[in-house]
């Protein structure tokens, strides 16, 4: 009888509504409350087994969302731990333990056996007999020729012209298809102490050959992140003709010492402090960052600096004995890209 009453002429079945007894209502409410609590817990932070890995999630969008959620959770935990440590240090006062030194690539650097001690007698002897000894003995004054690869584009030409305003006694000449081996003897006969060649690729400067005359050495650098004066924000007025001061940072190894002396010999001996201009070569993880600033003393303690430009980054590719010779030259050091013992914590300069 029950079946005949539930089925109609159309053949559709009617669902019987179950009446909820008043006893069951609080149980349901409790279940809803528990569900809300679990939802709150899941919102506050995802709970995963210790062996869980985000890479196990196959769906790309869900995997990315879960990765961001875990990253945010880790950031919050780190921030809470930092606040907790800060409170503990404040409570302990003078008895607080010393702060932990953060790990960086610089302070985790593998010690290099060729690190130079400036007071070493052997180093002093080498400096007195190397190719730059005449400059550091004030027997020669620097005179630099800046040239380019064949048919340079506008950006490379402007880069050369701006370098000539940074380096005193620098002259810009264009190659016009002349081989570098023929350029060097002419430079020696005319009293130049350096030849600087700016190479380009796809209208962008990408290489620099620096050859010290008359006996070398010759260094080849990769050039990157070139920014000319017009491309720089909040730059100062164009530099004056005063001789700038030179700062060389972190050239600590034998190789780094040679490169530092190579850069130092580009500039005249006595800087003119009236111009308040500084050229900086800063070595960090084998990248040499060049900056050119003007400074002003605001008071006895504060100094203001203003970047003049250009700025660029150098990476040493090779150091060759003697003047430029691509075929038969003897190399002191060559950068090996795929050497077996390469490490992120091992640097050469």
């Amino acid at each position: 009888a029950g079946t005949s009453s539930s089925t109609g002429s159309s053949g559709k079945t009617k669902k019987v509504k179950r009446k909820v007894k008043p006893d069951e209502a609080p149980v349901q409410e409790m279940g809803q409350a528990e569900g809300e609590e679990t939802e709150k817990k899941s919102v506050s932070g995802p709970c995963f087994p210790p062996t869980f890995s985000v890479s196990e999630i196959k769906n790309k969008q869900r995997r990315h969302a879960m990765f961001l959620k875990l990253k945010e959770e880790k950031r919050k935990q780190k921030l809470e731990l930092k606040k907790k440590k800060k409170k503990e240090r404040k409570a302990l006062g003078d008895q607080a333990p010393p702060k932990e030194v953060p790990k960086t690539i610089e302070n985790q650097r593998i010690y290099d056996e060729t690190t130079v001690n400036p007071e070493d007698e052997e180093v002093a002897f080498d400096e007195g007999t190397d190719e730059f000894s005449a400059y550091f003995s004030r027997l020669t004054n620097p005179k630099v020729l800046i040239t380019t690869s064949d048919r340079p584009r506008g950006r490379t030409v402007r880069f050369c012209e701006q370098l000539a305003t940074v380096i005193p006694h620098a002259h810009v000449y264009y190659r016009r298809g002349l081989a570098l081996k023929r350029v060097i003897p002419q430079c020696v006969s005319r009293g130049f102490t350096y030849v600087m060649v700016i190479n380009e690729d796809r209208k962008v400067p990408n290489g620099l050959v620096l050859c010290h005359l008359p006996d070398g050495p010759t260094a080849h650098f990769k050039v990157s992140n070139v920014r000319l004066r017009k491309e720089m924000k909040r730059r100062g007025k164009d530099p004056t003709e005063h001789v700038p001061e030179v700062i060389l940072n972190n050239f600590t190894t034998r190789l780094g010492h040679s490169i530092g002396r190579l850069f130092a010999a580009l500039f005249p001996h006595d800087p003119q402090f009236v111009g308040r201009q500084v050229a900086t070569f800063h070595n960090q993880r084998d990248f040499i960052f060049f900056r050119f600033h003007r400074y002003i003393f605001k008071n006895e303690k504060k100094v203001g600096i203003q970047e003049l430009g250009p700025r660029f980054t150098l990476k040493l590719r090779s150091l060759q004995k003697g003047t430029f010779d691509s075929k038969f030259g003897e190399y002191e050091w060559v950068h090996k890209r795929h050497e077996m013992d390469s490490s992120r914590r091992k640097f050469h300069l």
Side-chain angles (χ1 to χ4, degrees):
T3 54
S4 61
S5 63
S6 61
T7 56
S9 60
S10 59
K12 292 181 181 178
T13 56
K14 291 181 181 178
K15 291 182 181 179
V16 180
K17 292 183 180 178
R18 180 171 172 268
K19 290 182 181 180
V20 180
K21 293 178 182 179
D23 313 346
E24 296 177 0
V27 178
Q28 191 177 2
E29 284 173 9
M30 283 174 66
Q32 285 176 357
E34 285 174 3
E36 285 175 6
E37 282 178 10
T38 52
E39 279 179 12
K40 284 179 184 176
K41 283 181 183 178
S42 64
V43 168
S44 64
C47 298
F48 301 110
T51 56
F52 174 76
S53 175
V54 180
S55 59
E56 292 175 9
I57 301 170
K58 302 298 181 184
N59 188 290
K60 186 178 179 181
Q61 291 177 344
R62 285 185 64 194
R63 186 169 65 242
H64 181 66
M66 192 61 68
F67 170 75
L68 292 177
K69 201 179 282 185
L70 287 171
K71 193 176 179 183
E72 183 65 21
E73 191 67 26
K74 281 182 182 179
R75 190 187 69 82
K76 285 179 181 177
Q77 288 175 5
K78 195 175 180 182
L79 197 66
E80 285 174 10
L81 189 66
K82 195 175 181 181
K83 285 179 181 177
K84 189 181 175 183
K85 282 185 177 180
K86 195 175 181 181
K87 282 182 182 178
E88 287 175 1
R89 289 185 66 82
K90 198 173 182 181
L92 290 169
D94 296 334
Q95 296 178 355
K99 284 186 178 180
E100 295 178 1
V101 180
K103 286 185 179 181
T104 60
I105 294 177
E106 278 80 11
N107 63 25
Q108 296 295 307
R109 175 178 178 170
I110 297 169
Y111 178 75
D112 197 329
E113 295 175 356
T114 62
T115 302
V116 171
N117 182 8
E119 297 176 1
D120 192 359
E121 293 180 2
E122 187 181 346
V123 174
F125 176 77
D126 290 345
E127 287 180 358
T129 55
D130 67 0
E131 299 91 341
F132 309 106
S133 57
Y135 165 81
F136 286 101
S137 303
R138 294 177 176 263
L139 300 175
T140 59
N141 290 315
K143 187 180 177 184
V144 184
L145 182 136
I146 301 175
T147 186
T148 62
S149 52
D150 292 335
R151 288 173 294 194
R153 300 299 179 127
R155 186 174 171 77
T156 307
V157 172
R158 288 194 297 275
F159 181 49
C160 292
E161 288 169 352
Q162 291 184 17
L163 275 178
T165 61
V166 172
I167 303 167
H169 313 303
H171 306 269
V172 180
Y173 291 99
Y174 301 109
R175 286 272 289 281
R176 295 176 185 172
L178 200 63
L180 198 58
K181 282 189 178 180
R182 292 179 62 188
V183 172
I184 288 170
Q186 293 182 26
C187 292
V188 173
S189 63
R190 294 181 187 182
F192 284 96
T193 59
Y194 272 98
V195 173
M196 185 185 291
V197 184
I198 308 294
N199 297 316
E200 68 170 21
D201 181 37
R202 297 175 188 176
K203 304 180 185 180
V204 177
N206 74 327
L208 185 146
V209 177
L210 192 59
C211 179
H212 182 257
L213 302 177
D215 303 318
T218 303
H220 178 226
F221 299 93
K222 177 190 173 184
V223 180
S224 58
N225 302 329
V226 177
R227 294 187 69 180
L228 304 178
R229 287 188 183 123
K230 281 192 175 180
E231 300 164 0
M232 296 174 65
K233 295 179 181 178
R234 297 184 294 276
R235 68 177 180 88
K237 292 181 180 178
D238 290 346
T240 57
E241 294 182 358
H242 295 93
V243 176
E245 302 166 53
V246 182
I247 296 174
L248 301 167
N249 281 340
N250 297 340
F251 294 95
T252 53
T253 63
R254 285 269 183 177
L255 179 64
H257 211 59
S258 301
I259 298 300
R261 286 168 70 83
L262 184 74
F263 288 134
L266 279 168
F267 297 85
H269 301 282
D270 301 313
Q272 296 172 337
F273 297 103
V274 180
R276 295 179 285 107
Q277 296 177 160
V278 184
T280 306
F281 295 91
H282 175 75
N283 173 43
Q284 188 171 354
R285 304 178 199 170
D286 286 352
F287 288 94
I288 302 165
F289 300 92
F290 175 81
R291 299 289 184 270
F292 192 55
H293 290 95
R294 181 184 289 126
Y295 62 87
I296 183 169
F297 292 102
K298 294 181 178 179
N299 52 42
E300 292 180 356
K301 293 183 179 179
K302 288 188 177 181
V303 179
I305 60 171
Q306 194 175 41
E307 192 169 355
L308 305 178
R311 64 160 70 166
F312 54 91
T313 306
L314 300 174
K315 174 83 171 173
L316 184 65
R317 289 300 181 202
S318 65
L319 184 66
Q320 183 183 345
K321 288 184 178 180
T323 55
F324 179 80
D325 190 350
S326 57
K327 283 189 178 180
F328 306 106
E330 183 184 350
Y331 288 90
E332 288 185 35
W333 183 85
V334 178
H335 174 64
K336 296 175 183 176
R337 291 183 62 186
H338 303 290
E339 60 184 350
M340 296 299 289
D341 60 340
S342 62
S343 170
R344 285 184 65 201
R345 296 184 293 138
K346 188 174 183 181
F347 306 113
H348 302 283
L349 299 179

